[in-house]
Amino acid sequence: MSTPRAPQTLPDPDRGTSAFPNFPRRRFPAGVSGGPLAVLTVLLAAAATLVAVAIGGDGRWPDWRIPGTLVLVAAVGHVLLRSAVVHPVQRFRDATARMAVEDSAAVVPRVRPAELDRIAAALHRFAGLPARARAHRVRVSLAVAPCVVAVLVLAWAVPAALMTVGGAASQPDTVVRQAGEGASARAEKLQAALRGGLAVLQRAADPPTGAEVADAARTAARVLAAEGLFRSVWVVDGSGQRIAVAGRPPSAPVTAPPRELRVVQANRAGSEPLVLATAPMWDGASSLVAEFDPRALNDLIRTAGVHTWVVDVHRATVLDSSGYTAFAPLDDPALAALAGTALADVPAVATPGNGEVNAAQRVSTAGAPTDLGWVLVENQDVAVTAFTHDGNRRVTFVVIALGASLALGSLAWVMVTVVAPARRLARHVERLAGGDAVPPLAPQRLDEIGSVVAATNRFVGARVLLGATARS
């Protein structure tokens, strides 16, 4: 009388044997669905945020077509990833699990995804089965669907970002006002820096308490430490000879500085402008001189989306927010003409009609101790100016960039966790089918691809063990 056989089941994936590596412990319960779900979640969250920005702002931006199109991209992308990646891998996982139970590679079908079809064909050859025709004439790589979805995301993100930045439109009077206010603010900032440095020098040269400055070197060092815009400070006698120096030596030869409280530009040529602040000292014979660091002054005029120059009385460039050659002429005739009309209190603004706006303002009032004859000149794109002052558009741009980046990162994760391991397994099984003696492949993750790897290892191991038993 025969004893009934218990039904065959797959070995417990968490229980390894000496011949085959253990499965890693479960860490990714979503399996190969995790990446597509992350893409869907990120895109829908970005769409919801854009809708919230439109409702919570002035209602003019973002245009409702932007989140609406994003929802469509999210839906199409998710369907594509599910149908071309997730479902084929899950069905192939079930087929290889059945193969391991029944010890038969014949139950593993030829499929459309190229990597999985390579695994199936190699398993058939390894098991000695006759070659089967492909179930589909055209094989498509698992990588195609993530790449197509990435193209869809970029096809949405790039135009949406360009519309957000380039489509910003302000009224002409608003653009002019904003450009003038910006130029005025930066001119005042530069003027305040020059005025503040001169005040520090004056306090050190003529102590208000009436105390004498007995140690020239200590005084120079104290001034240098007190004012971060100074590159060097020195004390000179009546003939211009330096008595004490703190900091770097002058960047250009210095003639005898003026014996009055003021800021001067001591050169008209060279690699950098030499801007000096001078203050006569208490003894009436010596002077305290400080050199401003032109790089520090240049940092004061930098702002995003605006190109700013500072030119001297000869319209030669002394500062430039975008990097420059010192004393290069201001070669734009429109900017040079505007600089000639600039006043100290009211900015001059012009719109050349090429989508740009220019502004200019004198840095200091004529005759003031800080008057160097400098004029601050700016040029900026009208659309960029409007974008800079439109909070809704700035937030929209950030949401578009962040959402697209996270979605593309999730698609890259699909390539790393699904496509790459499938190709690795395909190469491994093809070597086995070719007769190479290769060790079992270790699963990278406990997901559907990891289950295929485990089932393949057990099927191959059983065949190898059966062959060894037959030979013995």
Side-chain angles (χ1 to χ4, degrees):
M1 184 172 178
S2 61
T3 303
R5 295 176 58 188
Q8 289 180 292
T9 58
L10 263 178
D12 183 356
D14 289 330
R15 186 184 303 160
T17 67
S18 60
F20 308 109
N22 292 336
F23 264 90
R25 289 291 177 182
R26 181 176 293 275
R27 294 181 182 177
F28 306 98
V32 296
S33 302
L37 285 174
V39 175
L40 178 66
T41 302
V42 166
L43 295 182
L44 291 181
T49 304
L50 292 173
V51 171
V53 171
I55 294 174
D58 55 15
R60 292 182 300 174
W61 200 260
D63 186 282
W64 291 99
R65 289 172 294 180
I66 292 179
T69 304
L70 182 56
V71 171
L72 181 61
V73 169
V76 171
H78 188 67
V79 169
L80 185 58
L81 291 172
R82 293 287 298 182
S83 60
V85 177
V86 176
H87 290 162
V89 170
Q90 290 176 341
R91 288 193 293 266
F92 198 76
R93 181 269 318 270
D94 296 339
T96 53
R98 184 181 172 194
M99 173 190 71
V101 171
E102 299 180 5
D103 192 26
S104 172
V107 300
V108 180
R110 301 290 297 274
V111 290
R112 185 185 294 275
E115 292 81 1
L116 304 183
D117 191 63
R118 286 172 54 193
I119 296 171
L123 286 172
H124 295 166
R125 291 199 305 273
F126 176 79
L129 299 176
R132 290 186 188 179
R134 288 188 223 157
H136 303 274
R137 288 180 176 272
V138 179
R139 295 193 305 179
V140 180
S141 172
L142 289 171
V144 170
C147 291
V148 170
V149 177
V151 170
L152 290 176
V153 171
L154 290 174
W156 166 81
V158 173
L162 292 177
M163 289 168 57
T164 299
V165 176
S170 294
Q171 298 297 324
D173 56 342
T174 303
V175 173
V176 170
R177 177 178 55 79
Q178 292 170 346
E181 289 174 352
S184 181
R186 281 176 282 280
E188 175 56 33
K189 187 176 182 180
L190 184 57
Q191 156 73 356
L194 297 175
R195 191 167 51 235
L198 191 61
V200 169
L201 207 64
Q202 182 182 21
R203 287 194 297 270
D206 187 15
T209 59
E212 297 183 357
V213 181
D215 191 334
R218 182 177 297 176
T219 299
R222 187 169 65 250
V223 172
L224 184 63
E227 179 53 72
L229 293 176
F230 289 158
R231 172 185 283 176
S232 59
V233 179
W234 61 93
V235 179
V236 298
D237 59 18
S239 63
Q241 295 297 317
R242 288 191 289 274
I243 302 171
V245 178
R248 295 173 52 180
S251 58
V254 180
T255 58
R259 298 185 56 77
E260 58 180 323
L261 182 67
R262 68 175 298 104
V263 179
V264 297
Q265 181 182 325
N267 64 339
R268 300 295 176 185
S271 60
E272 291 181 321
L274 184 60
V275 183
L276 303 178
T278 65
M281 296 191 70
W282 62 276
D283 58 4
S286 57
S287 296
L288 194 58
V289 183
E291 179 191 5
F292 282 96
D293 186 348
R295 292 179 175 83
L297 295 178
N298 215 35
D299 290 339
L300 297 175
I301 64 172
R302 284 196 174 98
T303 188
V306 181
H307 191 174
T308 303
W309 300 263
V310 174
V311 296
D312 61 16
V313 292
H314 302 290
R315 301 297 178 261
T317 304
V318 291
L319 300 174
D320 189 329
S321 63
S322 299
Y324 67 109
T325 300
F327 303 108
L330 188 62
D331 53 5
D332 188 324
L335 292 175
L338 188 65
T341 64
L343 302 175
D345 300 325
V346 181
V349 183
T351 52
N354 56 354
E356 297 180 341
V357 58
N358 300 330
Q361 180 165 329
R362 283 184 62 95
V363 173
S364 300
T365 304
T370 56
D371 179 30
L372 300 170
W374 284 1
V375 178
L376 181 138
V377 184
E378 294 190 338
N379 169 266
Q380 52 191 304
D381 187 271
V382 172
V384 173
T385 303
F387 173 75
T388 303
H389 293 84
D390 191 328
N392 266 31
R393 288 183 181 268
R394 292 200 306 272
V395 174
T396 299
F397 183 82
V398 171
V399 173
I400 291 171
L402 185 60
S405 300
L406 292 176
L408 293 175
S410 300
L411 291 169
W413 183 245
V414 173
M415 297 290 290
V416 170
T417 60
V418 179
V419 179
R423 291 176 176 175
R424 178 168 168 257
L425 178 58
R427 291 191 296 268
H428 174 76
V429 181
E430 285 171 346
R431 290 184 62 190
L432 288 171
D436 294 346
V438 293
L441 189 64
Q444 291 181 341
R445 292 160 42 97
L446 184 55
D447 58 9
E448 290 84 346
I449 296 294
S451 297
V452 173
V453 172
T456 301
N457 283 341
R458 282 157 176 76
F459 174 74
V460 172
R463 287 302 177 105
V464 171
L465 184 61
L466 182 62
T469 303
R471 287 193 298 272
S472 62

